[in-house]
Amino acid sequence: MLAIFLAPVYILANVFTAYWLLRWMKEVHPLFRHPAVLGVILVLYAFLALSLLTSFVIKRDPVHRILKVISNCWLGMYLYFLGFTAILVLLRFIFAHTALTKTWLYSPMGLKAVGLGAILFVTGMCIYGMVHAVHIYTTRYEVPSKKDAHLKIALVADLHLRYSIGSHQMEEMVEKINAEEPDVVVIAGDIFDNEYDAIYEPDRVADLLAGLKSRYGTYACYGNHDLDEKILAGFTFETKEERIADRRFGEFLDRAKIHLLEDDVVCIDDAFYLAGRKDPDRIRKTQETRDTPSELLTGLDQSLPVFVIDHQPSELTELAEAGADLDLGGHTHDGQLFPGNILTGLMWENACGMKKVGDMYSIVTSGVGLWGPPMRIGTKAEVVIIDYGK
């Protein structure tokens, strides 16, 4: 529903950027003043700007898949082009109303140079973001414990298996995790990305995940995107009807040998507890209920470590008070694109990294996959390795 409300804003923003793009191009070379050339440029711009809508409307592959890739790339690049255009227009306004109007930067030649520099910089930054996004890093944390336990935990989240995240990334992720020889692997939600059909070669991807090796196996909870629903420009549509999860999600997890925990607690090898929470946004759509931290963790033997998998890093104080020793989450992507990491830092108590809350440690990963644009700028895709009790 939010996508519909944002549509007028998106249209106005594109009118703004298209106007200044054409104005700059006319200054660069007389060729861009020719009606036929302007027409081609406007048609190409309209194709890219409307790819968010056309990829939503056209469902037939391979056209749908191609349009989704184009629209995701466009969205990421456009956000930066819009930002830089707004900054340059603001600076031009300031120059025009001060003595700076007499400087070279305010001249036609200055407009050409600054515009070209901005385009090259944004293009280069976005290319870097796309290349950087496909590489998975390893992040390590040491968590002290008063309890008699020493465990190595591999944490990943936000796989977002879909058009731009597939077997290549999963193969690299599995190799990195297996090289660490962890005791247990946990996936903190958003395994899928709203569309099961968006997964390229799902059986191959599931078999790769089934190759994860650890002493006690792989456990996961669902996230807010682990639900098959219509999605436009990254936003879903609200409905009063109960939504039912695609049965193929469960079949995929079975094939991948991933144990799903939905408000469930398991005691593993009499060594530690592992609890998986339902996602608050997902259950609102499926019209389910979710246990409170105290309801979920009541009656546990507190001499054993209590680990919680919770997609969204919320209710940290409540989890600590309920007896959790370690809360493992994702969801934030650490903002994914700068300055998103600054904004998420303001929105969440622990947006990314490790933080002590009471006697509990919260660890939030920036995730492996991507939401929307296939790029990361100022953040990284990661596998988190936790040495607990070291």
Side-chain angles (χ1 to χ4, degrees), residues 215-325:
R215 185 177 181 184
Y216 298 120
T218 304
Y219 293 82
C221 68
Y222 272 148
N224 57 303
H225 285 278
D226 292 317
L227 193 65
D228 200 35
E229 53 188 340
K230 294 181 179 179
I231 186 167
L232 173 61
F235 299 101
T236 57
F237 292 83
E238 295 293 335
T239 176
K240 294 182 179 179
E241 298 179 1
E242 177 184 355
R243 300 184 189 181
I244 302 174
D246 192 320
R247 60 174 176 76
R248 293 176 294 177
F249 286 174
E251 293 171 354
F252 179 97
L253 295 184
D254 288 341
R255 179 162 183 157
K257 298 179 182 179
I258 296 172
H259 307 286
L260 182 66
L261 299 176
E262 291 195 285
D263 276 0
D264 299 314
V265 182
V266 292
C267 183
I268 299 178
D269 197 29
D270 292 326
F272 64 97
Y273 291 103
L274 186 60
R277 302 196 72 191
K278 293 181 179 179
D279 181 78
D281 290 339
R282 188 176 184 278
I283 64 166
R284 176 172 50 82
K285 298 172 183 178
T286 59
Q287 299 182 15
E288 298 175 70
T289 59
R290 172 165 111 138
D291 288 346
T292 64
S294 59
E295 289 173 337
L296 181 65
L297 303 181
T298 187
L300 303 186
D301 180 359
Q302 289 296 324
S303 67
L304 299 179
V306 179
F307 305 146
V308 177
I309 317 171
D310 196 359
H311 176 60
Q312 301 190 37
S314 58
E315 299 185 321
L316 300 184
T317 300
E318 292 84 347
L319 284 165
E321 292 175 348
D325 295 294

Side-chain angles (χ1 to χ4, degrees), residues 136-138 140 152-156 169-187 205-218 256-257 383-385:
I136 302 174
Y137 296 82
T138 300
R140 302 179 187 278
K152 180 182 282 191
I153 304 166
L155 165 66
V156 292
Q169 288 87 351
M170 292 302 98
E171 187 172 9
E172 182 180 356
M173 183 190 80
V174 169
E175 287 177 358
K176 286 184 175 294
I177 292 175
N178 288 349
E180 298 291 336
E181 299 181 347
D183 292 300
V184 64
V185 178
V186 299
I187 305 176
V205 175
D207 289 341
L208 284 170
L209 292 174
L212 284 167
K213 297 176 182 178
S214 64
R215 185 177 181 184
Y216 298 120
T218 304
K257 298 179 182 179
V383 166
V384 172
I385 302 299

